Amino acid sequence: MKDTLSPLRAFQERLLETLNPEHRQQGHILDQHCLWQDDAFNEAALELAFLQGQANPHFGALLDQNRSGHGSLAHWHQIPCVPTHVYKAFEWSCIPEAHRTSVFHSSGTTRRQTSRHWHSELSLQLYETLLLAWCREHLPWGNGTSESGACIFLTPEPGRTPHSSLAHMFATISFALKEKMTSRFLGDLSPTRQWTLPMEETVRVLSGLDRPVHVFGTAFLFVHLLDYLSREDRQLTLPAGSLLFETGGYKGQSRELSKQRFHEDLATALGIRRERILCEYGMSELSSQAYDLEVHSSMHPEPAGRPRYFRFPPWARVRVISPETGSEGGIGETGMVHVIDLANVWSSVSVLTEDIAVRQHGGFELLGRLKAAEKRGCSLLSADLA
Amino acid sequence: MDMDLPNYFIADLSTENTPSREMLTDACLTLKRNRQRYLQARSTASLIRTLANVAEHWTYPHYPIRQYTFEHGPSATGFPSTTLEKGLLDFMSEITEENLQALIEQDLGHLRRMDEPCANASDRSGQRMSLALGPELIMHITAGNLPNSVFSTMLLGLLSKSSQLVKCATGTSFLTRMFAHSIYDTDPKLGACLEIAEWPGGEDDLEQAVYAEADLVTVTGSDATISAVRKQVPEDIKLLAYGHKVSACYISKGALQGFGFRALLNRAVDDIVAWNQLGCLSPHVIYVEENPELPPIQFAERLADYLKDREIEEPRGPLSAKQAAPIAARRSFYDIRAAHTPGTFCWKSEGSTDWTLIFEEDPLFQVSCLHRFIYVKRVENIQEAIGGMEKVHGKVSTIGLAASPTEANELVEVLAQWGVQRVCPMGSMQKPPLCWRHDGRPALADLLTWMDWEI
């Protein structure tokens, strides 16, 4: 039987080698990363697509069907789209069952089938290393000069939500910072396993700080906090130099606000400048994350009013593609987010998300996640049946 | 509103300003006054003549409101002109004096039932006469841009001599306004008993202003919308709710024997392209019985050719990225499934999402992404199709049926027992007759209250 794992393992090692170990702990090291080069990225992406086609018969068949096996694909743009839905319908993994140690599910209601992104010790090692490398580029503790002494996560303790990639991400950050900063997870789980926030305790913790804090949470948990503060007619003032890390969307678990309104409300309610709110874009089906702002330190704030676009690390590229033609539109055009993620060594290098975005110079502006076909008529849609 | 037609209705004014509570209250009081003056004492025969005239006007190519509608409709509704014209003219062709009379006879048993107490031949005692009266003011809460259902409700409301306020979601009132203008144009007094307004759903304050004056509320929408309206509407007001539904086609062995399969393919395409499949009477899935003449997979292949040809004659029209994205995602998924699952095939327009056909052996009902996205599924028999539709049990409106006369009765009986409310020939799924019992209920009679006079 053909060994399809060793080549993927070798690919992973080469990918990790692209990060200079001396710089991994310091941040601001990726400007010269070799995968920013088109040629290098292209070669790596095509190689990974080929290797995954060998290891995953579903993807192999797709490549065959597109008559685009190894050699015939000339550019990473030609790698076929793999919609996130396949993570629900198929065992979309290159990791043999015996090697799987954990699985991340997409968040969703319990009535719906969720995505399954399997991981092994090896794949998690890659995930965590690359996650921290790109995160350090955007957070003030990257160069070890953070003034902050604490991280507060509004999510439940990671051990209580083993299948959440977001919880794993936060746990990874928390672990990486344990020498420098204290971490605290304030979130809880409802009887139906929804993420909740004990409000009184959260407000007590956030209002009793004397040093800058990093507060990590999902958009809907932040909205719950905003609603609570509004009901209680309270405002907080986080210490100068604090930062909010917002991700994960609303998931139908809170009212939804425009991004601008949301950030304005957060800034007012928590006493923090809008420029100190960092947004992350990620999902359980991907291993890389995009950030919309570089927050370096209180000495170097981002100028207010600068457009904020999401940007992936050098080992992932995004195309905002026209759903009609499948090709990438021009700057300012709206389309679907298609990510080629080299960090997804063990699952799918190509991920067609259900997100709609506008292509911008150097990144993309997220418009939102697709719920169902936009309706103009009265026919029932799958969302109505869920 | 930048048009030649006058601003008769609230929705004719700028769509940027939602009406105020006071404006809606005034409108309701005016409607009720106008009803008393112009509508209450009017005979049913006169109403029938007027409404048939309204529809007839739409069949004149030079009728200004029709011309305006067809000129501005595509940009206002997103439907391409061919789809819009066909859909509207099909609807208007049903509104004839004969059909309106047949509807009243069917629902009320007597043509003058809404004019005076009258006795039916079926009332053998001869000692009772009955009169059916419509509410003073009906509020309609409508869904989306598809006009057939709201036009029908407006016609029924006028027949029942009720004044009506139609609440449209923001940006969706164009066709309703044009229809109301054509009523006003034909008979201003009748038009004065109608009001059309737009505001975003969930504006409790505005809706309560209308509930305070209305006697009956009809709502068409998703389960969530209906449930929200149900909570809002005061208990003493009658509420008629029409939920979102799905439809499908069923083609039996017998329908594919001998000649006529080309006509059948054409009728299937008619159903898929009518209102670009967005209505609840449009099919999501076509079930085809296994047969030796034209096996289901071959039927699907032929149907794909017909969809491709029809796209040239009747283009679907452009979609926004948000509308097209689910189609692209679903296609990518089926590309993968087709690559390794025997019995799954995908045919689609190249370089666009104009049309898509997925063939699967699996009979499980799939909810389509609409906009001309159809599933064809192979089944052995009707029981297998019904098994596949279990997840939409209770939500199936129409089955477009193609079957030989010897098969049809049994199939219809099985479908009726399972809960299907309408079976019609394929090709006319989006053209229900005026006397169609919407969601299985008598549409006109549902609006009325009876008064029995025992002599």
Side-chain angles (χ1 to χ4, degrees):
Chain A
M1 195 173 152
K2 192 171 177 185
D3 174 16
T4 57
L5 302 185
S6 298
L8 287 169
R9 201 175 298 125
F11 185 94
Q12 167 162 335
E13 282 165 15
R14 280 157 55 215
L15 184 59
L16 286 171
E17 281 164 12
T18 64
L19 290 172
N20 183 333
E22 289 174 20
H23 293 159
R24 279 192 201 174
Q25 300 301 316
Q26 295 174 16
H28 314 300
I29 43 89
L30 297 173
D31 286 352
Q32 304 301 319
H33 197 281
C34 65
L35 287 170
W36 286 127
Q37 305 294 322
D38 289 340
D39 288 355
F41 183 86
N42 196 42
E43 197 178 307
L46 294 181
E47 182 182 338
L48 183 56
F50 170 73
L51 297 178
Q52 288 182 348
Q54 301 282 302
N56 174 351
H58 303 308
F59 191 56
L62 181 66
L63 288 174
D64 289 343
Q65 189 195 44
N66 283 269
R67 297 195 199 96
S68 50
H70 190 50
S72 62
L73 282 179
H75 197 273
W76 63 270
H77 285 181
Q78 297 164 327
I79 299 173
C81 291
V82 175
T84 49
H85 192 72
V86 301
Y87 283 82
K88 298 177 186 174
F90 301 101
E91 293 211 358
W92 200 271
S93 180
C94 300
I95 304 173
E97 216 169 324
H99 295 201
R100 295 174 191 168
T101 54
S102 52
V103 61
F104 294 151
H105 294 310
S106 55
S107 46
T109 64
T110 49
R111 284 184 297 168
R112 290 193 193 180
Q113 194 186 1
T114 57
S115 285
R116 299 156 301 167
H117 190 171
W118 278 283
H119 279 282
S120 62
E121 282 178 23
L122 202 60
S123 72
L124 282 179
Q125 182 203 341
L126 176 69
Y127 172 83
E128 290 164 8
T129 306
L130 297 183
L131 154 71
L132 291 172
W134 190 231
C135 196
R136 283 193 173 97
E137 293 283 299
H138 296 82
L139 286 165
W141 39 263
N143 55 14
T145 59
S146 171
E147 301 158 13
S148 174
C151 285
I152 290 173
F153 299 90
L154 303 184
T155 51
E157 291 277 353
R160 298 181 67 193
T161 54
H163 301 305
S164 161
S165 60
L166 181 63
H168 189 84
M169 178 169 83
F170 287 168
T172 304
I173 292 171
S174 161
F175 187 76
L177 293 174
K178 68 180 187 330
E179 305 290 331
K180 297 179 189 171
M181 301 160 83
T182 60
S183 286
R184 191 159 172 193
F185 290 82
L186 291 179
D188 205 347
L189 287 173
S190 74
T192 56
R193 301 200 59 79
Q194 305 285 329
W195 292 6
T196 61
L197 204 52
M199 290 300 167
E200 280 178 31
E201 188 191 357
T202 303
V203 171
R204 188 177 52 75
V205 169
L206 292 180
S207 54
L209 297 162
D210 54 9
R211 288 203 297 162
V213 65
H214 295 170
V215 184
F216 296 76
T218 64
F220 70 85
L221 287 173
F222 276 120
V223 171
H224 290 174
L225 179 60
L226 287 176
D227 290 345
Y228 176 81
L229 290 171
S230 167
R231 278 198 305 276
E232 298 289 312
D233 196 21
R234 288 194 65 177
Q235 278 192 0
L236 304 178
T237 305
L238 295 180
S242 295
L243 180 142
L244 302 187
F245 182 108
E246 172 256 308
T247 185
Y250 298 101
K251 316 282 189 208
Q253 293 189 40
S254 73
R255 64 195 169 92
E256 297 191 9
L257 293 83
S258 71
K259 188 167 172 175
Q260 185 179 351
R261 176 73 196 276
F262 179 39
H263 287 185
E264 280 168 9
D265 288 359
L266 272 179
T268 308
L270 299 181
I272 192 166
R273 291 204 316 275
R274 277 194 62 195
E275 303 82 68
R276 303 289 296 175
I277 303 172
L278 176 67
C279 296
E280 186 256 7
Y281 172 83
M283 61 187 69
S284 68
E285 295 88 350
L286 290 173
S287 298
S288 295
Q289 302 79 30
Y291 294 97
D292 80 335
L293 187 62
E294 293 173 32
V295 176
H296 293 312
S297 76
S298 55
M299 300 298 287
H300 297 94
E302 289 291 327
R306 170 182 166 268
R308 295 165 55 147
Y309 304 137
F310 282 113
R311 201 162 55 113
F312 272 105
W315 49 87
R317 292 204 180 184
V318 67
R319 300 168 71 216
V320 178
I321 61 169
S322 154
E324 290 293 341
T325 62
S327 54
E328 191 167 26
I331 301 293
E333 286 190 25
T334 303
M336 305 168 80
V337 175
H338 178 209
V339 183
I340 297 291
D341 185 4
L342 301 187
N344 258 0
V345 171
W346 300 94
S347 50
S348 179
V349 62
S350 160
V351 176
L352 177 65
T353 74
E354 295 180 336
D355 292 321
I356 301 287
V358 180
R359 185 183 169 201
Q360 301 288 5
H361 283 293
F364 63 99
E365 181 186 357
L366 191 66
L367 295 185
R369 183 151 297 180
L370 216 56
K371 287 171 185 154
E374 194 175 85
K375 276 201 265 200
R376 287 199 312 252
C378 55
S379 185
L380 200 66
L381 284 162
S382 47
D384 300 317
L385 289 173
Chain B
M1 183 170 63
D2 102 284
M3 63 180 287
D4 302 320
L5 293 167
N7 292 343
Y8 289 138
F9 307 108
I10 293 174
D12 288 337
L13 306 168
S14 165
T15 52
E16 291 179 8
N17 302 320
T18 51
S20 66
R21 189 184 162 89
E22 293 70 29
M23 198 189 282
L24 290 172
T25 302
D26 282 352
C28 291
L29 295 175
T30 308
L31 283 171
K32 290 205 240 185
R33 252 194 327 270
N34 291 345
R35 171 189 182 258
Q36 199 179 11
R37 279 186 204 156
Y38 308 130
L39 190 53
Q40 203 172 0
R42 194 144 163 189
S43 73
T44 301
S46 147
L47 285 169
I48 286 177
R49 266 195 307 279
T50 307
L51 296 177
N53 281 342
V54 170
E56 194 183 341
H57 289 160
W58 280 86
T59 64
Y60 303 154
H62 298 296
Y63 182 52
I65 296 174
R66 166 181 157 147
Q67 286 183 324
Y68 187 90
T69 305
F70 291 168
E71 187 186 338
H72 295 270
S75 61
T77 66
F79 289 116
S81 53
T82 43
T83 305
L84 195 62
E85 287 181 34
K86 201 165 187 307
L88 286 179
L89 296 181
D90 277 347
F91 177 83
M92 297 301 171
S93 69
E94 267 295 303
I95 314 301
T96 61
E97 287 196 45
E98 294 74 23
N99 287 348
L100 289 162
Q101 284 166 2
L103 165 69
I104 295 171
E105 295 267 14
Q106 169 195 282
D107 271 20
L108 309 179
H110 200 295
L111 261 181
R112 293 185 56 77
R113 183 73 77 188
M114 292 178 288
D115 296 337
E116 61 190 5
C118 41
N120 257 19
S122 61
D123 188 355
R124 290 184 186 165
S125 72
Q127 293 185 336
R128 188 184 68 163
M129 297 210 277
S130 307
L131 171 68
L133 295 170
E136 195 178 2
L137 175 65
I138 305 176
M139 177 191 191
H140 302 294
I141 300 172
T142 67
N145 268 332
L146 234 67
N148 293 13
S149 157
V150 61
F151 287 8
S152 293
T153 328
M154 285 163 73
L155 289 173
L156 298 178
L158 287 172
L159 275 181
S160 71
K161 304 182 192 179
S162 304
S163 60
Q164 302 171 79
L165 185 142
V166 185
K167 184 251 170 224
C168 301
T170 307
T172 65
S173 71
F174 178 78
L175 294 175
T176 307
R177 282 194 286 124
M178 293 305 107
F179 186 55
H181 272 285
S182 70
I183 294 169
Y184 204 106
D185 177 63
T186 309
D187 187 332
K189 288 179 178 171
L190 213 53
C193 298
L194 293 172
E195 183 58 270
I196 319 292
E198 273 190 10
W199 69 84
E203 292 281 345
D204 195 38
D205 199 33
L206 301 182
E207 278 136 33
Q208 290 298 344
V210 184
Y211 299 150
E213 301 299 331
D215 311 283
L216 187 149
V217 175
T218 76
V219 53
T220 308
S222 62
D223 289 351
T225 304
I226 289 174
S227 149
V229 170
R230 218 181 272 285
K231 281 182 199 147
Q232 274 188 335
V233 173
E235 275 182 20
D236 58 336
I237 296 182
K238 188 173 168 186
L239 177 70
L240 297 176
Y242 301 98
H244 283 167
K245 299 277 181 173
V246 290
S247 295
C249 294
Y250 189 84
I251 300 175
S252 73
K253 291 181 187 69
L256 294 164
Q257 280 170 358
F259 303 103
F261 72 85
R262 286 186 187 82
L264 184 59
L265 286 160
N266 257 322
R267 291 203 296 273
V269 177
D270 286 344
D271 284 332
I272 296 163
V273 305
W275 295 116
N276 277 344
Q277 213 182 349
L278 291 165
C280 34
L281 309 181
S282 300
H284 290 245
V285 176
I286 299 177
Y287 287 106
V288 184
E289 275 186 11
E290 186 55 81
N291 72 93
E293 300 285 329
L294 188 65
I297 179 74
Q298 286 178 28
F299 177 89
E301 197 172 2
R302 301 290 288 267
L303 184 61
D305 287 338
Y306 275 62
L307 277 168
K308 186 178 175 186
D309 292 346
R310 185 67 70 90
E311 184 57 34
I312 298 164
E313 296 163 31
E314 276 181 63
R316 180 205 61 184
L319 296 184
S320 68
K322 213 171 165 189
Q323 290 167 327
I327 302 175
R330 192 90 65 101
R331 281 175 165 197
S332 297
F333 174 76
Y334 277 102
D335 281 342
I336 290 162
R337 179 168 273 181
H340 72 93
T341 308
T344 300
F345 296 89
C346 177
W347 290 273
K348 58 196 174 189
S349 55
E350 292 300 328
S352 76
T353 59
D354 289 337
W355 60 269
T356 310
L357 189 154
I358 306 290
F359 175 84
E360 285 184 296
E361 299 270 351
D362 181 352
L364 188 70
F365 184 94
Q366 294 286 357
V367 178
S368 153
C369 326
L370 310 179
H371 302 287
R372 306 190 182 183
F373 188 114
I374 189 76
Y375 286 91
V376 175
K377 292 182 169 258
R378 173 198 167 281
V379 286
E380 283 296 332
N381 50 44
I382 189 76
Q383 292 304 342
E384 194 177 0
I386 282 178
M389 290 193 285
E390 195 49 44
K391 72 173 176 183
V392 286
H393 192 190
K395 291 192 176 293
V396 176
S397 166
T398 295
I399 296 289
L401 180 67
S404 69
T406 51
E407 297 165 317
N409 276 0
E410 195 185 329
L411 290 171
V412 169
E413 208 163 299
V414 173
L415 289 167
Q417 291 296 340
W418 185 69
V420 170
Q421 288 149 355
R422 175 176 168 241
V423 177
C424 70
M426 280 174 65
S428 56
M429 295 177 74
Q430 272 292 353
K431 293 184 276 186
L434 192 61
C435 55
W436 170 45
R437 296 180 177 95
H438 193 174
D439 285 2
R441 303 204 305 253
L444 176 62
D446 251 2
L447 303 178
L448 305 171
T449 307
W450 290 75
M451 193 282 293
D452 288 337
W453 178 18
E454 292 153 27
I455 304 161

